[in-house]
Amino acid sequence: MQIRNPITLNDWKIRNYFIAILWLQLGLLFIQLLESTDSRVLFLQAILGVAFFSFIPGIIVLRILRIHNASTPETLLYAVGLSIAILMFTGLFMSVIYPIFGISRPLSPDSTLMTINVTTAILLLFSLVRDKKPPESGFIDTETFLSRPAFLLYLVPLLTIIGTYFVNQYHNNGILMLIIAFIAVIPILIGLNRVIPEALYPLAILSISVSLLLHTSLISPYIWGYDIHYEAFLANLVIDNAFWDSTSPGNVNAMLSVVLLAPMYSYITGLDLTWVFKLVYPITFALVPLGLYHVFRRQVGEKSAFLASFFFASFIIFYAEMASLARQEIAELFLVLLIMIMVARNVPRRTNFALFVIFGASLAVSHYGTSYIYLLSLIVVWLYMTLSSFAATRGDTLFKCSRKTAGENPSGGGSVNRDDGRTITAAHVLFFTGFTLGWYMFVAGGTSFDTIVSIIDHIGNTIFVDLLNPEETEGLDLLISTPQSLLHTVAKGLHLITLALIVVGFVAIWFRRKNTRFSREYIAFSFIALLFGVAGVLVPNFSSTLNTSRLYQIVLIFLSPFCVVGGISMLAAPGAYINKLRSGRLAGRTPLVLMSVLFSLLFLFSTGWIYECANDQPSSIALSQNSIKKYGGDTPKNVFYGTFIPEHDVFGARWLGRYMENGSVVYADRTRKDNVLTSYGSLARTPPFLPETDFEPVLGAYVYLATYNIVERSASGPEEYYDYWSIEDVYPAICRNNKVYSNHQSEVYQNG
């Protein structure tokens, strides 16, 4: 049976399209106007709010741009990206324009809801005029998506949510352990071509991504991590003041993906800001592997694309570190969308550039690190493509491209004038460069621009002095460090194998690039990504200033398929595999199965599943809370309490933030000062920090102690989070002050 595809709403007949959106908007508006405290109404508002404003505005823009006949994943990703862009720039418009007309609180809930509803209505009316007769092709076959394998994939995120509930309420990780084990089996089933058909590969990768992100983000009813606490602090400032101060210095304050998007989602959904970060952002970020699957499928075929996407999502960086870094979650979505329009061959040039402007500007206002990496890559790739086209006209075979490959249109969307295989032009480079640098120079005191200038200057001054010095090169230090145990040594060996396979795969494709489905621009971007990875290992202060794990996360966006290519080309006859890349077929089943086993095994190590089973230095906050507390050493405990926030710490921080005297000095160790006191105490991340010895607080100052300080009798900092020390030397000096708050695991003292 066939039904209308709700995702490809932009392909529906004009009458059905208009009625569907109108009823959805009116229903959501009615719920928002109720302002009910009933949990069922709030739940309905959250679901409809996220679904509507994360999707419908983008669908309307797709109709305005007359983009039709795109695949379901492609339409979903475009619509979500466009919707988020509309929310951010609508908030920016309100912040700039409304004060001119005397509105002192432009970002109040009522003002925000009215503006975005009116904006959506105006876009809807414009789309009715712009595109009246699209093709009626928005249908799907329900047989596949209501099959047993599909229901199995639907159950994975649901069981993950149940599993996190059992961890939070009963400290029982059994369900999550079973879910992780089942997820590890999925790539092997696909490698064996069993159970899951190709039509369900997008659903499978989306189900896995959502489950992995929720299995960490839903642990604890509070946010956890490092950067996300400061992001929550800034978003709360906007909510409290109903105003965004764009002149306040700070890199993060220039990121609309945090300071505007998070408050707007809170108004739309009725959710507390904590749950916006723990639910809305991770679910949105789960679309990144789906977008990568869409990109990779055009390069290497369905099964290899699935394995490459699973490889990307299987690293702990994706579902742990990124789940606590909201601005980079949104930025990576826009980066993937930029890659999607780069490899698209069914979108006219003008429409392609319009999408580039929207997604490029959205990337720039989402995360400075990701934007700078993309900016440098964009400039280099454009120069390479320009020089190669010029050389090709002169017959230089080094740069000459295959006309057939460059001009093909695998999606069947018609001629789009890609004679030289290029989608990136001087206009793309000029726009993104101008917008990005302009934004970072003039917003939030220009600190984002000053930061990159200082980083470049610092690297330039130390590149020859500290070359290959592990103390100054974080990536190299990680490579040569000694693992904690035999199992951790095995895990490190598996990671090193994947790095080697990426290099092998890239070399294999590079020398046969004319005979593969890889676009020249994608190969060029991947080469720059590979150079970034090498620089992270060789160049002093490069990876540490950008953060090694986050840098690796970004380069994997481009390099993941090369790991699959490298592995299969090593296991199969290289020539046979490369020759079949163009058709998307595989060089036999055995290499794919072996690669799927490798990725599944690596996944079990990355999630901490194996360490939890073996009780060998477990580190997962989702699977190993009890194990870390009982058997973990000093370092694992410090890392655990540095990211995970116990409930008692939140209560203590909230009390302090509410009842402390304005302007008072607060002492706490570095980690507690930068996380729970920032997000839940609303205190700025500023010294003084708790000293190791000779503690003499100033008159009227407060001292905040958390679970890590009281139960483990330890503290961290002040220079680095991973520095920790015994609190016994200063504890008597702390206790000489007046204890003004205690819940047995969190205490507040006041001097005088």
Side-chain angles (χ1 to χ4, degrees):
M1 181 178 70
Q2 285 194 333
I3 60 172
R4 285 193 178 93
N5 188 346
I7 303 299
T8 59
L9 186 61
N10 57 313
D11 288 339
W12 288 19
K13 289 182 179 179
I14 195 73
R15 182 175 180 273
N16 297 328
Y17 157 85
F18 174 72
I19 292 175
I21 294 178
L22 182 62
W23 275 109
L24 285 172
Q25 186 167 15
L26 290 175
L28 179 59
L29 186 62
F30 175 74
I31 293 173
Q32 291 171 340
L33 292 174
L34 284 178
E35 295 184 355
S36 173
T37 57
D38 188 287
S39 59
R40 290 170 294 183
V41 175
L42 290 175
F43 177 77
L44 185 60
Q45 179 183 346
I47 296 295
L48 288 179
V50 172
F52 187 89
F53 285 108
S54 294
F55 179 71
I56 295 300
I59 278 290
I60 295 173
V61 173
L62 287 178
R63 188 127 191 174
I64 293 172
L65 294 174
R66 295 175 179 170
I67 296 177
H68 298 293
N69 293 324
S71 66
T72 299
E74 192 175 13
T75 303
L76 175 64
L77 282 148
Y78 286 161
V80 171
L82 290 168
S83 296
I84 292 175
I86 289 170
L87 287 177
M88 290 194 298
F89 288 107
T90 298
L92 177 62
F93 173 84
M94 294 167 61
S95 300
V96 174
I97 301 299
Y98 283 10
I100 297 176
F101 294 95
I103 301 176
S104 60
R105 293 173 59 85
L107 294 173
S108 66
D110 291 341
S111 175
T112 301
L113 291 174
M114 179 190 70
T115 303
I116 59 176
N117 275 290
V118 170
T119 300
T120 304
I122 292 173
L123 289 173
L124 177 60
L125 294 176
F126 183 49
S127 70
L128 298 179
V129 176
R130 169 75 174 166
D131 188 31
K132 296 181 178 180
K133 296 181 180 180
E136 179 73 346
S137 58
F139 291 88
I140 56 173
D141 189 351
T142 59
E143 183 177 351
T144 300
F145 293 95
L146 295 179
S147 62
R148 291 181 180 178
F151 275 110
L152 198 62
L153 295 173
Y154 299 144
L155 279 176
V156 175
L158 177 61
L159 292 176
T160 299
I161 296 172
I162 296 173
T164 59
Y165 175 81
F166 271 78
V167 170
N168 292 333
Q169 295 297 319
Y170 306 110
H171 305 289
N172 186 322
N173 66 357
I175 295 177
L176 284 186
M177 291 289 285
L178 290 174
I179 290 297
I180 295 298
F182 176 73
I183 290 175
V185 174
I186 293 177
I188 298 177
L189 292 175
I190 288 178
L192 292 169
N193 201 24
R194 302 286 179 85
V195 181
I196 302 174
E198 284 189 1
L200 291 180
Y201 289 178
L203 176 62
I205 198 63
L206 184 60
S207 173
I208 291 171
S209 302
V210 170
S211 300
L212 291 178
L213 287 162
L214 293 184
H215 108 277
T216 52
S217 71
L218 292 184
I219 293 299
S220 163
Y222 308 104
I223 58 175
W224 55 265
Y226 288 103
D227 288 48
I228 198 168
H229 292 280
Y230 188 59
E231 293 172 335
F233 172 78
L234 292 176
N236 270 317
L237 281 180
V238 174
I239 291 176
D240 292 340
N241 300 322
F243 175 76
W244 170 53
D245 184 4
S246 62
T247 63
S248 178
N251 293 354
V252 182
N253 190 49
M255 301 298 101
L256 303 187
S257 57
V258 170
V259 295
L260 293 184
L261 185 63
M264 294 180 79
Y265 265 127
S266 182
Y267 298 153
I268 290 167
T269 62
L271 293 173
D272 181 78
L273 199 60
T274 291
W275 288 104
V276 171
F277 283 126
K278 292 176 72 67
L279 277 174
V280 179
Y281 277 74
I283 291 175
T284 302
F285 185 54
L287 294 174
V288 168
L290 178 64
L292 291 180
Y293 171 79
H294 175 78
V295 172
F296 299 160
R297 183 176 60 85
R298 293 173 176 267
Q299 318 289 327
V300 294
E302 282 75 8
K303 284 186 173 60
S304 295
F306 176 87
L307 289 180
S309 302
F310 178 82
F311 172 65
F312 171 83
S314 66
F315 278 95
I316 191 172
I317 307 166
F318 171 76
Y319 49 82
E321 186 163 352
M322 288 300 106
S324 60
L325 191 62
R327 62 189 185 275
Q328 189 165 336
E329 288 182 289
I330 301 301
E332 288 194 14
L333 174 63
F334 286 115
L335 178 58
V336 170
L337 287 168
L338 288 169
I339 300 172
M340 287 176 59
I341 63 175
M342 180 184 71
V343 302
R345 293 292 182 258
N346 60 336
V347 180
R349 280 190 183 275
R350 290 183 180 179
T351 305
N352 187 290
F353 184 72
L355 292 174
F356 178 88
V357 168
I358 297 172
F359 296 149
S362 300
L363 171 60
V365 301
S366 294
H367 187 231
Y368 40 88
T370 307
S371 298
Y372 282 132
I373 290 173
Y374 180 72
L375 174 60
L376 179 59
S377 302
L378 183 71
I379 294 172
V380 174
V381 170
W382 174 75
L383 287 173
Y384 165 75
M385 296 296 292
T386 301
L387 292 174
S388 64
S389 295
F390 175 75
T393 61
R394 301 182 60 183
D396 189 334
T397 57
L398 176 63
F399 294 101
K400 194 173 183 179
C401 69
S402 169
R403 298 287 182 181
K404 181 178 179 181
T405 301
E408 67 182 359
N409 182 9
S411 62
S415 175
V416 289
N417 297 321
R418 299 287 196 270
D419 294 335
D420 59 355
R422 298 175 61 183
T423 58
I424 297 172
T425 65
H428 292 76
V429 176
L430 289 174
F431 168 78
F432 190 75
T433 303
F435 184 90
T436 301
L437 296 183
W439 183 266
Y440 293 155
M441 290 174 67
F442 298 111
V443 176
T447 56
S448 297
F449 183 77
D450 294 339
T451 298
I452 193 64
V453 171
S454 63
I455 289 174
I456 294 172
D457 180 67
H458 184 56
I459 292 174
N461 292 331
T462 60
I463 187 170
F464 296 109
V465 177
D466 294 317
L467 188 65
L468 297 179
N469 180 2
E471 294 182 0
E472 300 296 333
T473 310
E474 189 176 78
L476 180 61
D477 182 55
L478 290 173
L479 284 179
I480 66 175
S481 61
T482 302
Q484 306 169 26
S485 66
L486 178 61
L487 283 177
H488 283 80
T489 302
V490 173
K492 183 177 180 179
L494 293 175
H495 283 290
L496 292 177
I497 289 173
T498 61
L499 293 177
L501 292 179
I502 287 173
V503 175
V504 171
F506 184 83
V507 171
I509 292 298
W510 177 260
F511 285 105
R512 292 178 172 84
R513 58 189 182 278
K514 292 183 182 180
N515 298 316
T516 71
R517 292 168 59 187
F518 280 88
S519 71
R520 290 195 306 145
E521 286 174 322
Y522 187 90
I523 293 176
F525 268 104
S526 300
F527 179 68
I528 303 302
L530 190 62
L531 290 182
F532 273 119
V534 173
V537 176
L538 300 180
V539 178
N541 303 298
F542 180 78
S543 59
S544 57
T545 52
L546 294 172
N547 191 301
T548 302
S549 58
R550 298 174 193 176
L551 175 64
Y552 187 55
Q553 166 83 5
I554 294 171
V555 301
L556 275 184
I557 289 176
F558 293 97
L559 297 179
S560 293
F562 294 101
C563 186
V564 180
V565 172
I568 299 180
S569 61
M570 291 278 288
L571 294 167
Y577 177 69
I578 296 298
N579 288 336
K580 293 183 178 181
L581 275 177
R582 295 188 65 187
S583 63
R585 292 182 292 118
L586 301 170
R589 180 181 298 178
T590 301
L592 261 184
V593 173
L594 293 176
M595 287 302 298
S596 65
V597 171
L598 171 65
F599 291 159
S600 295
L601 186 60
L602 185 64
F603 167 72
L604 292 176
F605 275 107
S606 295
T607 55
W609 189 89
I610 289 180
Y611 303 134
E612 175 66 10
C613 289
N615 196 23
D616 182 4
Q617 295 292 330
S619 58
S620 170
I621 68 166
L623 304 179
S624 307
Q625 290 184 30
N626 293 334
S627 300
I628 293 171
K629 294 175 184 177
K630 290 181 181 179
Y631 312 112
D634 292 336
T635 299
K637 287 182 179 180
N638 180 44
V639 173
F640 172 74
Y641 284 108
T643 54
F644 181 83
I645 311 299
E647 188 173 46
H648 296 80
D649 297 6
V650 175
F651 291 163
R654 282 176 170 168
W655 185 92
L656 181 61
R658 181 178 302 172
Y659 295 110
M660 66 176 284
E661 298 176 11
N662 291 333
S664 297
V665 174
V666 176
Y667 291 88
D669 73 350
R670 172 67 183 272
T671 301
R672 262 42 64 177
K673 198 70 175 284
D674 282 5
N675 58 26
V676 66
L677 285 179
T678 299
S679 55
Y680 292 104
S682 298
L683 302 179
R685 283 180 162 181
T686 55
F689 301 118
L690 200 63
E692 296 185 41
T693 57
D694 303 325
F695 179 50
E696 297 181 3
V698 299
L699 185 65
Y702 292 86
V703 181
Y704 172 84
L705 299 180
T707 302
Y708 182 62
N709 310 132
I710 296 172
V711 176
E712 301 298 334
R713 314 298 287 181
S714 298
S716 68
E719 297 300 327
E720 299 289 343
Y721 294 118
Y722 296 111
D723 292 340
Y724 54 88
W725 40 274
S726 172
I727 203 174
E728 299 295 348
D729 289 343
V730 297
Y731 194 68
I734 295 173
C735 291
R736 284 195 291 268
N737 299 281
N738 299 319
K739 184 187 290 187
V740 294
Y741 174 85
S742 175
N743 59 32
H744 303 297
Q745 288 185 217
S746 176
E747 298 174 347
V748 179
Y749 295 82
Q750 186 179 21
N751 182 17

